[in-house]
């Protein structure tokens, strides 16, 4: 089995040492490099070819948000998991919007951090439905109407089935759950998700969820469900 290659990016050497020590005991994970600032990341990625980057947000010269945006704009970009001390920080939300696959808290138990790395390497976002809702609720507020109009315009390129899948992703459902709910195979769900990502020029399922929320599709779906239940 090929080990998951991980790059650690944090300006605190103690955090890097702790993560390196903890991950060093996992047979399926290999630490291929460390960086103390976001400005070092692209060169290290070119040299070490990581599968996953664990990225701190607050760094003195180039922050993790900028580094994440630069990385995710590249072809064959590694997945990025944001390291943070907050559950619903505005900068975490911005990192997710530019392509991070999720986040983990710095005080997360080691087994959960290892699980997060494995999930992201496998293509799954590291956000539970409850955390996704918390982040999206945190995003509501300033310029919400403008954001909704723009999101609706972007979502208009989807056909009805793709829109249904996008809403299901926004609800935090896994592919198997979406397949059951929409009466299709898991392979078909994966195809629809890939098409949604391509049509909307997005990197991952987290961004689909955020865009669906911005467009108000989750509110509409909940309202329709409530109307069905009343009848």
């Amino acid at each position: 089995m090929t080990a998951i290659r991980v790059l650690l990016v944090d300006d605190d050497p103690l955090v890097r040492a702790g993560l390196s020590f903890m991950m060093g005991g996992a047979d399926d994970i290999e630490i291929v490099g460390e960086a103390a600032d976001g400005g070092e990341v692209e060169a290290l990625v070119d040299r070490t070819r990581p599968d996953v980057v664990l990225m701190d947000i607050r760094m003195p010269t180039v922050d993790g948000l900028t580094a994440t945006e630069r990385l995710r704009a590249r072809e064959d970009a590694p997945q990025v998991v944001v390291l943070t001390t907050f559950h619903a920080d505005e900068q975490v939300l911005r990192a997710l919007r530019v392509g991070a696959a999720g986040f983990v808290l710095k005080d997360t138990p080691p087994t959960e951090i290892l699980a997060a790395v494995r999930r992201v390497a496998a293509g799954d976002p590291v956000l539970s439905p409850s955390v996704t809702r918390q982040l999206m609720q945190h995003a509501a507020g300033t310029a919400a109407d403008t954001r909704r109009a723009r999101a609706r315009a972007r979502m208009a390129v989807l056909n009805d089935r793709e829109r249904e899948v996008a809403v299901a992703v926004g609800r935090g459902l896994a592919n198997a759950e979406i397949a059951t709910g929409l009466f299709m195979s898991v392979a078909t769900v994966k195809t629809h998700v890939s098409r949604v990502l391509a049509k909307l020029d997005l990197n991952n399922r987290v961004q689909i969820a955020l865009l669906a929320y911005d467009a108000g599709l989750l509110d509409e779906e909940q309202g329709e469900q409530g109307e069905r239940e009343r009848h």
Side-chain angles (χ1 to χ4, degrees), residues 80-111:
V80 177
V81 177
V82 172
L83 291 167
T84 180
T85 55
F86 300 99
H87 277 281
D89 180 89
E90 179 64 29
Q91 289 184 304
V92 174
L93 184 68
R94 290 173 60 199
L96 296 175
R97 289 190 185 281
V98 299
F103 72 87
V104 294
L105 299 175
K106 290 187 177 181
D107 60 357
T108 297
T111 55

Side-chain angles (χ1 to χ4, degrees), residues 137-145 147:
Q137 288 165 3
H138 182 74
T142 305
D145 290 341
R147 188 167 58 244

